Amino acid sequence: MAPHMKLSVPGRATATAVVAAVSLLVGGSMAGAAPAGPALAAAPDIPVANVKAHLTQLQSIATANGGNRAHGRPGYRASLDYMKGKLDAAGFTTRIQQFTASGRVGYNLIADWPGGDTGQVVMAGSHLDSVSSGPGINDNGSGSAAVLETALAVSRANLQPTKHLRFAWWGAEELGLVGSRHYVNSLATGDRSRISGYLNFDMIGSPNPGYFVYDDDPAIEKTFQAYFTGLGVPTEIETEGDGRSDHAPFKSAGVPVGGLFTGASRAKTAAQVTKWGGTAGLAFDRCYHSSCDTTTNINDTALDRNSDAIAYAVWELSE
C-alpha cells in the first residue's frame, strides 16, 4: 500500500445463502447490472496452502534479488513473470503494459478470461510491487497471491460467467499508484464505462488482522459484508487506506469500486480485539514497509478468509 498517499472455514453454506439473498435485495448499484440469469455454481474454496505457496515463491524471488520486489528492480519483473507463467498455462490471455516512473521502466500485468460480455467487465486487482526496504509479502504479496489463486480457480472451474472477467497486477503502487493510474488513463472513455466494477486487494493477511471492507459501491460492499456475516465475522468500514491504493484511479474515473483490507500501521483497539482477537495497542501489521514483511508476517486465518471472500465476490458479481 502506497505510503505517502495513504493513500477450510466454517459457515460456508451460510455465507453462500446470505450472499444470494443480498444479490436479490441489492439491485443496480454496480454499473451495467443486468437481470439475474441462470445461477452459477457456488464459488470454490480457495486453498490457503496454494496462496501461501505463491507467497513462498515471491519471498524466494525477493531473496534472490536484493531482498525486495520494488519498481524498476529485477525482483519486480521476476514476480510479474512468475504470475504471467501461471496465468498463461491456465488459459488466460495476458498482456504486459509498460510505463515509466522515477526514471525506471515499470509494468502492469493484465489477464483476461475468455468469454463473457465484454460490455460488462468485472476486474479484480492488486499491486505486485514491494517497497525497496523489504520483500513485501503482506504488502502486497498477500493480495497478489490471492487474486492469482482466484484466477486459477476460475480456470479450474472453467467458469462461464455472464460478464467478462479481467485480473490485474499493478506496478509502482508504492510510488503513488502509478501503474493503475497509467492503466486507467490509457483507456478510452468507452472502455472505462464497460468496467462494471473494480475490486482491489491490498494487504489481506496482516499478522494482527482486522476485517475491513471498502465503503464505496453499495453492491460490492454488501457482497463482501454478506460473505463475512455468513462466517460470523464482523467487519468495519475501511478508512486507513482510503484513496491510498489502486482503486483510487478507477473511482476517480467513475468506475464502481470495492475491496478488502486487514490493516497496516494503525494500532488495533481494545474494542477491535473483542471482535477479532489479536493484541490491543499493536499495529495491524508491525512489519509494514519493513524488512520483516516476510512469509512469517502473515496470519493464515485472515489470508484464508479473505481469499475465499475474493472468490465469492468474483463469482457473485460476474454472473
Side-chain angles (χ1 to χ4, degrees), residues 2 19-20 36 62 68 116 123 128 130 135 147 150 162 172 175 188 206 214 247 250 255 264-266 272 277 298:
V19 169
N68 68 71
M123 290 189 70
L128 185 55
S130 73
V147 171
T150 297
T162 300
L175 300 184
S206 302
Y214 292 9
H247 59 293
F250 287 88
V255 175
S265 57
R266 285 187 184 173
Q272 289 169 331
I298 292 289

Side-chain angles (χ1 to χ4, degrees), residues 87 92-95 109-113 151 164-169:
L87 294 158
F92 284 83
T93 300
T94 63
R95 66 185 177 96
L109 174 63
I110 314 298
D112 285 271
W113 180 241
H164 181 75
L165 283 175
R166 180 175 299 151
F167 299 88
W169 291 264

Side-chain angles (χ1 to χ4, degrees):
M1 180 173 284
H4 60 285
M5 298 189 66
K6 299 202 154 115
L7 278 173
S8 132
V9 179
R12 196 64 51 78
T14 304
T16 305
V18 174
V19 169
V22 166
S23 70
L24 294 175
L25 293 172
V26 179
S29 295
M30 202 169 77
L40 297 177
D45 177 84
I46 300 298
V48 72
N50 291 7
V51 182
K52 292 185 68 177
H54 300 314
L55 294 181
T56 297
Q57 290 299 313
L58 293 177
Q59 176 71 67
S60 296
I61 288 168
T63 300
N65 289 279
N68 68 71
R69 302 179 301 98
H71 165 73
R73 309 290 179 87
Y76 179 77
R77 183 56 197 251
S79 299
L80 183 144
D81 290 342
Y82 170 77
M83 299 279 174
K84 186 176 187 300
K86 293 289 187 182
L87 294 158
D88 288 341
F92 284 83
T93 300
T94 63
R95 66 185 177 96
I96 296 173
Q97 184 182 49
Q98 185 172 310
F99 58 89
T100 302
S102 299
R104 295 173 180 261
V105 176
Y107 307 96
N108 295 325
L109 174 63
I110 314 298
D112 285 271
W113 180 241
D117 179 4
T118 55
Q120 299 183 88
V121 179
V122 174
M123 290 189 70
S126 60
H127 76 87
L128 185 55
D129 62 315
S130 73
V131 292
S132 60
S133 58
I137 299 304
N138 187 38
D139 185 14
N140 183 39
S142 60
S144 294
V147 171
L148 173 62
E149 192 57 32
T150 297
L152 298 180
V154 166
S155 174
R156 289 191 293 267
N158 191 27
L159 188 65
Q160 300 297 320
T162 300
K163 296 178 182 178
H164 181 75
L165 283 175
R166 180 175 299 151
F167 299 88
W169 291 264
W170 310 116
E173 188 269 357
E174 298 291 3
L175 300 184
L177 322 182
V178 180
S180 55
R181 183 174 290 111
H182 176 80
Y183 174 81
V184 172
N185 289 346
S186 73
L187 294 173
T189 301
D191 290 332
R192 292 181 194 176
S193 67
R194 294 183 184 99
I195 302 175
S196 297
Y198 171 71
L199 315 178
N200 193 62
F201 306 100
D202 188 353
M203 303 178 65
I204 60 166
S206 302
N208 191 29
Y211 292 89
F212 299 99
V213 176
Y214 292 9
D215 181 20
D216 288 296
D217 179 73
I220 298 174
E221 179 188 346
K222 289 182 180 181
T223 298
F224 284 128
Q225 288 179 333
Y227 172 77
F228 284 105
T229 296
L231 295 183
V233 176
T235 61
E236 289 186 10
I237 296 303
E238 204 289 284
T239 58
E240 182 180 3
D242 191 26
R244 295 166 50 195
S245 192
D246 293 299
H247 59 293
F250 287 88
K251 185 175 180 178
S252 295
V255 175
V257 301
L260 302 174
F261 179 55
T262 51
S265 57
R266 285 187 184 173
K268 180 179 277 189
T269 67
Q272 289 169 331
V273 169
T274 299
K275 287 192 292 187
W276 298 321
T279 304
L282 184 69
F284 293 103
D285 183 356
R286 63 181 181 81
C287 289
Y288 175 64
H289 284 185
S290 299
S291 60
C292 59
D293 187 10
T294 66
T295 50
T296 63
N297 191 47
I298 292 289
N299 181 286
D300 287 0
T301 298
L303 185 68
D304 189 13
R305 288 170 171 171
N306 281 283
S307 298
D308 289 338
I310 294 171
Y312 271 93
V314 166
W315 258 250
E316 171 70 14
L317 297 172
S318 66
E319 63 178 15

